[in-house]
Amino acid sequence: MPAGDPRGAEPGPAAPAGLRELLVEANDLKRVRSAGRAGSIAERLFAQGWGMLTGGARPEDVALDVTATALAATRLCDLDAAFLAASGLSDEAVSSVLVEGFDAVTVALDADMRDRLRDRLRKPAAHLPGSLPGFVAALAQQPRAGVTCPGRPRILLEPPENHAEHCLMVAVYGVVLSPFYRADPTTVFLAAMAHHFHNAAMPDAGFTGEMLLGDHLLPIMARTTGWALAELDPPLRETVERARAVLPDDATAEGRAFHAADCIDRVLQIAQHLRAASITMGTVLDEMELVHAGPVKPFHDRVLRDMRIP
């Protein structure tokens, strides 16, 4: 049985604890933005992935390229290939910087998967993007519901993530987790990129809203999902539909990898709000060295002390 398979006689861990730090840190790709670039890194990678797919790139290439780019951006943020090349670095230097950023956060990653993803940064392939389906922009404009529970008021944490960011992060997590579940990373990636198709048209009222819809929920979701699928040309549409077949349950390795990624992302999204609210000045000044070492640090320290800051 695969590791973590709940059907085994002696089930092991349900998820690889060694990847926790990577998944926590990568989650901030939903919140990193830069001047002159619309949306977060995660939102832009969601659009980039769909552009590659509609442009005819192989789904396997898209899954590995987007995941490698996301993991490199975990530390480098928007110091990406486009910026580094525009700033005058050679192709070799660009790859070297991206690989260094990637290696800094992927020590715990499955060795074979790590090599496959690193190769994508060393030898990037050129993909001409196709036209973006309407659901890409719609999902980027659709906020997630926040924390909802039937019979209770909603808990909203600002700013909310959007559905494009969530889908992208689940897709990247799915590829990272796939070796643990012995799952096909491409299938997991595509399923995750498409698992909220219904929310391109359907506002997100969360679990509460779904329960209030009752018997109307599934027909509405099927109809709105169909609208998004109809925007894809037949070959790609059929490939995406096959990948989405793993979404209903955890009976397959791909289903387990997807649902692990989805669950982790949903909870980490809330955890980052709580972490930000509980951070201390000791962490900021002592551990993170906000006033960091340099020729003027002694003067900075005196200024803060004499101003009684914090």
Side-chain angles (χ1 to χ4, degrees):
M1 283 291 178
D5 190 332
R7 298 169 297 170
E10 296 181 3
L19 290 174
R20 181 188 183 280
E21 290 185 10
L22 170 60
L23 302 184
V24 170
E25 186 173 355
N27 205 260
D28 279 339
L29 294 178
K30 295 189 286 187
R31 292 168 284 277
V32 177
R33 291 169 170 78
S34 298
R37 306 193 189 198
S40 66
I41 290 177
E43 182 179 322
R44 285 181 266 124
L45 284 176
F46 181 75
Q48 180 180 320
W50 279 110
M52 293 167 67
L53 288 166
T54 61
R58 294 191 316 150
E60 178 184 3
D61 292 334
V62 179
L64 296 178
D65 287 0
V66 169
T67 300
T69 300
L71 296 182
T74 297
R75 289 281 171 87
L76 289 167
C77 299
D78 270 323
L79 299 178
D80 58 9
F83 169 79
L84 294 173
S87 66
L89 271 63
S90 66
D91 290 346
E92 182 179 357
V94 168
S95 295
S96 177
V97 171
L98 295 178
V99 167
E100 187 169 350
F102 173 88
D103 284 347
V105 296
T106 56
V107 175
L109 197 57
D110 172 81
D112 180 63
M113 177 60 73
R114 194 182 191 213
D115 289 343
R116 294 173 69 189
L117 292 171
R118 189 189 291 109
D119 284 346
R120 297 289 167 152
L121 299 174
R122 285 178 172 158
K123 295 174 280 189
H127 300 290
L128 292 176
S131 58
L132 288 180
F135 64 72
V136 173
L139 288 169
Q141 294 165 8
Q142 191 75 274
R144 300 266 290 159
V147 182
T148 70
C149 179
R152 298 175 181 271
R154 174 191 310 232
I155 299 173
L156 283 176
L157 298 170
E158 296 287 342
E161 64 179 325
N162 62 53
H163 279 79
E165 292 167 331
H166 170 65
C167 288
L168 184 282
M169 194 53 55
V170 176
V172 169
Y173 282 3
V175 172
V176 168
L177 292 167
S178 61
F180 178 81
Y181 299 100
R182 300 180 192 172
D184 173 47
T186 304
T187 298
V188 180
F189 180 88
L190 285 180
M193 290 283 279
H195 80 285
H196 273 283
F197 267 3
H198 57 286
N199 285 119
M202 180 181 180
D204 188 357
F207 184 38
T208 298
E210 292 176 355
M211 292 301 97
L212 290 172
L213 283 173
D215 291 341
H216 301 298
L217 174 63
L218 293 181
I220 289 175
M221 289 182 63
R223 190 171 302 116
T224 51
T225 295
W227 294 343
L229 285 167
E231 296 185 51
L232 301 174
D233 289 336
L236 177 56
R237 183 191 315 148
E238 292 159 6
T239 300
V240 171
E241 286 181 311
R242 284 195 298 271
R244 280 178 50 90
V246 310
L247 295 177
D249 53 48
D250 62 353
T252 63
E254 290 71 28
R256 289 188 287 280
F258 164 77
H259 284 289
D262 183 47
C263 172
I264 290 168
D265 181 64
R266 280 188 285 140
V267 176
L268 285 181
Q269 173 65 23
I270 306 305
Q272 66 87 22
H273 285 283
L274 303 179
R275 187 171 68 248
S278 63
I279 193 170
T280 68
M281 193 57 72
T283 298
V284 172
L285 287 175
D286 300 333
E287 296 179 28
M288 301 301 294
E289 299 184 58
L290 179 64
V291 180
H292 51 76
V296 295
K297 186 179 188 304
F299 177 67
H300 286 168
D301 290 340
R302 287 172 51 208
V303 167
L304 293 176
R305 183 182 65 248
D306 292 344
M307 290 295 292
R308 296 193 294 277
I309 298 174

